[in-house]
Structures are given as structure tokens and as C-alpha cells.
Amino acid sequence: MDNPRKVAVKTLLKIEHDNAYSNISLASAFKEAELSAADKALASALVYGVLDRKLTLDYVLAKFMKSPLKKTAPFTLQVLRTALYQIMYMDKIPESAAVDEAVKLIKKSRESRNSGFVNAVLRKILREKYELPNGNTVKDMSIKYSCSEWIIDSFLKDYGPQNTQMLLGESLKAASLTIRVNTLKTDTDSLIAEFAKMGVALKNGAIENSLCFEKGIDIANNTLFNKGYFHVQDIASQTVTSVLNPAGGDRVLDMCAAPGGKSCTLAEIMQNKGEIISCDIYDARVGLIRDNAKRLGIDIIKPTLCDATEYNEQLGEFDCVLCDVPCSGLGVIRRKPEVKYKEKQDLSELEEIQYKILCNAVKYLKKGGKLLYSTCTLRRAENENLVIRFQKEYNNFQKVYEHTYMPHIDGTDGFYCALLTKE
């Protein structure tokens, strides 16, 4: 069996070095490593825990190290972070065990010369007291909540100090695993009963045909998942999709569809009657849409290679168009904590792409048709402000619904949607 701490460290190295997504990197690591269920749980907790608290951990480590963190060897730094995370946040692991396992890990690595250093730093942290800043400055909040200052600035500008603190606090809590029942194959009561036979408890979600796991499970190897009885989808994403609410027999365009979760939910709402053109700009991601639709037994989805920013007259007209556009992702930092450490960048180019996609959607929509714009971010510049700009240019569109889903208020991922109808 492989060492779960080593798997966690190597995964963290990959995420940091390659700017890779945590969920994809961890899934890949689990395919390559031989781990028990308990060891997978430990490795997963360490990866997400360190990512959640990276700035906090680095703040503490820096207090007990003479040399700068940036000069620390990469493997050694990740070992220190994982050990410190166990000391600070994992009560069930004895502090001495966290230190001993870290030293063993270093001794068996190419950076074995640093074993004494790792031992000394961690022992010193155990002996001496440390305090985290508790002020309300952006810098203090950055360390306390382990989030880049530019993101905190963005939240403060859009939502004020109270909502910002609550948003940041919520981002450090574990997100529940929520699924959408595939009503083409089963129903909620039957699926709950099937999972009960496996000893897995589920509870009804906030909207119809949604279910929440009380504990995490290995989805990829679950027989009910592989039979297509459900797909994973947050409540906000499910709710946003139900806002569009296409009728059976409608033609629907999902302009930025991969990996296809919203397209699949739309197909279920339509009872697999009509047509859904599900687009993506990358062929591999079009394949993901195809695979998901096939697993769920949906045949009205037509995966299509298409650039959402360019008009394709061959697609024709649609009753409903979904624009779930690429965004900064600040609404899902509790699921993808690596997003918190993105460097500050000029997001105006991204906003222009979003606007271009939304304007392009107009060309596909029938008169009286419905257009849903959505993102998984909480920046007003990508959400409300962009829709206001759109309505000024296209005054024949009426906004009939708008909502920003807030993790600390709605208990969901951060999400935004606006439903517009063409007069």
C-alpha cells in the first residue's frame, strides 16, 4: 500500500507546479496509487486542507523559519505544510505522529538532507505559542481566511465587510456532495432506497430531484453512478438550470456546455423530448458531454464542437439558450481552493468574452424565446453589471428573473443567473 501522506504531498506539488485543478489531480493520483478507503480519505483531507489554509500555514511557518519560504525545497515545503495542517486542524491525529510521519517522509525522499530541518521547525512550533491576526484589515483577513488580497478587495467592493467575512468563513467549510436524480431512469425515493442497501445515507436537497450525501463516497466506482441513475451537481447549478425550464420538444442551445451537467439536467426536465445542442470549443471536452449523456441514457443531447463567441448559422434558431460562460470562478472556492491563490490579473478581457458570448446568443434565439445567463463567480462586473450593459444595448430583452446565490445565505456554491426573454 502507498503512503497517503506522500500521495497528498505529490498531489499538492502537481497542483502548485502545473496550476492544475485539485479534483482532477487528486482523482489522477488515486488511480495511480494503491490506497485503502481510509487512506484515500486522509490523503484527500490533507490536499484540500492544505489548499484551504495555505496562506495561514505559510504565515505560521515563516514565524519559525530563518530562511524565506520561497527558498525552501518544494517537496520539503509541502511536507511542512501537510504536517502543520495536521497539528493545527486535525484533532484526531496526535501532534507527535504528524511530526514523526513528516520526518520519515523527508528521509525517504530526494530531499532527505532536510529531515533535521523539518524536525526542528515542527518541534519548535509545538513548543512555542503562535497567534493568528484577528483584525479587519485586508491583510489580516487574507491570513486568517487564507485568501488572496485582491479577491477580498473584490468581495468588499461588491458586498461590504460583513458579507465578505461570512463568505470567506464559508469558503473554509466542507461543501456537501449533492446529486441530481436522473428521472429518466429512477426517482428520489428509489435511489435513496438503493443507497440504503449499500449503507449510504442520503437526504432530500433543497429542490425537487436533488439529494445530498451525509458523508462523502467514491462516486467514480459507485455502481448506481455508472448505471446512470444520477450525476453530481450543486444545488445552485440545479436551480439555475430549472429557471430556464424548457418544455419537452423545445430546441435548446447550451453554448458552453462541458462537461455537460446542465445539459443533462435540461434533458431530464424535458423528459428526453426535443433537442439540445451542447457546445464546447475543445474536442476533448465535447467528448465529456457525450460520455455523460450516454451514461445517463439521454439521446436528445447533440455534443457539438463550436466557439461560443462566433455565430454559426448552421445551428438554426432555438426556444431556449443557456449561456453558462467562462468566469473567474470565485463562487466555487470551497470546492476548488486553488482558485484563491490565482495572481491578480486584468479581468476585463474575460468580461469582454462573456459579453461577446451573451450578444452572440441573441442571434440564435427565437422571438419570445428565453435566454439564461449564468456564472459561478461572485464578481458584479461579470454578473449584474454585465447584464445591465447588455440590456442597454438590447432593449428588446426583458429581465424576468435574477438571483445571486451566496454560500452563507443559500447554502450553495456562489452562483449568479439572469433570465431574459426576447420580446
Side-chain angles (χ1 to χ4, degrees):
M1 297 289 281
D2 290 299
N3 184 327
R5 288 175 172 85
K6 184 177 181 180
V7 171
V9 168
K10 290 175 70 175
T11 303
L12 287 165
L13 279 168
K14 180 176 177 60
I15 293 167
E16 189 160 293
H17 183 266
D18 298 341
N19 289 320
Y21 283 121
S22 52
N23 57 334
I24 296 172
S25 299
L26 196 57
S28 176
F30 286 166
K31 283 182 180 179
E32 295 174 6
E34 186 180 348
L35 295 170
S36 66
D39 283 347
K40 281 185 179 180
L42 175 58
S44 183
L46 290 175
V47 168
Y48 284 112
V50 169
L51 289 175
D52 266 339
R53 305 278 187 173
K54 187 169 76 168
L55 296 185
T56 310
L57 297 171
D58 285 357
Y59 173 83
V60 174
L61 286 172
K63 295 285 185 183
F64 294 88
M65 292 169 57
K66 293 180 181 179
S67 57
L69 261 69
K70 62 183 179 181
K71 291 188 176 181
T72 307
F75 189 85
T76 299
L77 180 57
Q78 297 297 352
V79 169
L80 283 168
R81 284 172 176 164
T82 54
L84 183 56
Y85 178 77
Q86 292 167 72
I87 291 168
M88 292 178 67
Y89 300 108
M90 299 185 79
D91 296 336
K92 293 183 179 179
I93 296 179
E95 294 175 342
S96 58
V99 176
D100 291 343
E101 291 298 325
V103 173
K104 287 178 186 176
L105 206 52
I106 285 289
K107 283 182 175 179
K108 293 180 181 179
S109 75
R110 293 179 181 178
E111 297 171 15
S112 57
R113 64 189 182 282
N114 292 332
S115 60
F117 165 71
V118 167
N119 185 60
V121 170
L122 294 175
R123 298 288 179 191
K124 189 176 182 183
I125 291 172
L126 293 181
R127 287 195 309 270
E128 301 179 17
K129 292 183 179 181
Y130 59 86
E131 290 185 1
L132 299 178
N134 202 30
N136 292 322
T137 67
V138 172
K139 188 173 183 63
D140 286 347
M141 285 193 284
S142 175
I143 295 166
K144 180 180 179 181
Y145 296 109
S146 190
C147 186
S148 295
E149 292 183 21
W150 74 268
I151 295 176
I152 297 174
D153 278 328
S154 175
F155 287 164
L156 285 168
K157 175 186 172 184
D158 286 340
Y159 302 108
Q162 185 176 359
N163 274 317
T164 294
Q165 297 247 23
M166 295 177 78
L167 270 172
L168 293 171
E170 197 69 25
S171 75
L172 295 172
K173 297 178 182 178
S176 60
L177 179 59
T178 310
I179 61 173
R180 179 78 179 187
V181 179
N182 181 7
T183 51
L184 303 175
K185 289 190 174 185
T186 186
D187 57 64
T188 53
D189 290 340
S190 298
L191 191 57
I192 289 172
E194 287 295 323
F195 270 111
K197 293 176 185 176
M198 300 177 176
V200 177
L202 282 163
K203 60 182 179 181
N204 285 300
I207 66 169
E208 187 179 13
N209 299 320
S210 65
L211 293 170
C212 299
F213 288 95
E214 295 185 3
K215 292 182 180 179
I217 68 163
D218 184 358
I219 290 289
N221 294 315
N222 182 269
T223 55
L224 299 175
F225 173 79
N226 290 318
K227 287 180 179 179
Y229 288 180
F230 67 91
H231 66 270
V232 177
Q233 191 176 28
D234 182 70
I235 290 293
S237 181
Q238 293 187 42
T239 307
V240 163
T241 310
S242 67
V243 167
L244 189 58
N245 196 29
D250 277 355
R251 285 198 85 224
V252 179
L253 175 62
D254 189 348
M255 296 184 73
C256 309
K262 292 184 184 66
S263 286
C264 291
T265 300
L266 289 170
E268 291 158 11
I269 291 171
M270 296 163 66
Q271 298 181 327
N272 206 27
K273 296 174 183 177
E275 184 180 46
I276 301 174
I277 305 298
S278 301
C279 301
D280 199 87
I281 196 171
Y282 299 110
D283 194 49
R285 290 172 63 79
V286 171
L288 291 176
I289 302 170
R290 186 178 295 109
D291 292 344
N292 279 323
K294 183 179 179 181
R295 181 178 59 81
L296 294 166
I298 296 168
D299 54 28
I300 66 167
I301 290 176
K302 306 293 188 283
T304 305
L305 187 67
C306 185
D307 185 347
T309 65
E310 301 292 337
Y311 177 61
N312 182 350
E313 63 179 7
Q314 294 180 348
L315 297 182
E317 285 190 323
F318 296 85
D319 302 285
C320 301
V321 177
L322 171 59
C323 294
D324 186 51
V325 297
C327 67
S328 56
L330 301 189
V332 293
I333 55 179
R334 63 178 185 165
R335 295 190 191 276
K336 296 179 179 177
E338 62 275 12
V339 173
K340 294 193 292 182
Y341 313 114
K342 282 184 177 179
E343 301 243 343
K344 184 178 181 181
Q345 54 186 315
D346 182 3
L347 294 171
S348 59
E349 185 177 345
L350 177 62
E351 292 159 24
E352 286 306 311
I353 291 171
Q354 293 165 343
Y355 191 68
K356 192 172 183 180
I357 292 172
L358 182 55
C359 293
N360 193 34
V362 172
K363 301 170 186 175
Y364 295 112
L365 199 63
K366 293 178 181 178
K367 288 181 180 179
K370 295 185 288 186
L371 170 58
L372 185 70
Y373 176 81
S374 66
T375 75
C376 60
T377 193
L378 293 172
R379 291 183 67 245
R380 290 190 187 276
E382 299 175 61
N383 297 340
E384 295 93 336
N385 296 352
L386 190 140
V387 171
I388 290 170
R389 175 187 171 189
F390 172 80
Q391 283 192 282
K392 286 179 179 177
E393 185 173 348
Y394 295 88
N395 55 19
N396 61 328
F397 276 82
Q398 181 182 0
K399 183 168 61 182
V400 295
Y401 180 83
E402 182 179 45
H403 189 72
T404 301
Y405 299 84
M406 305 286 275
H408 64 291
I409 296 172
D410 299 290
T412 66
D413 288 344
F415 232 90
Y416 169 82
C417 76
L419 182 64
L420 304 151
T421 56
K422 187 176 183 180
E423 295 177 357

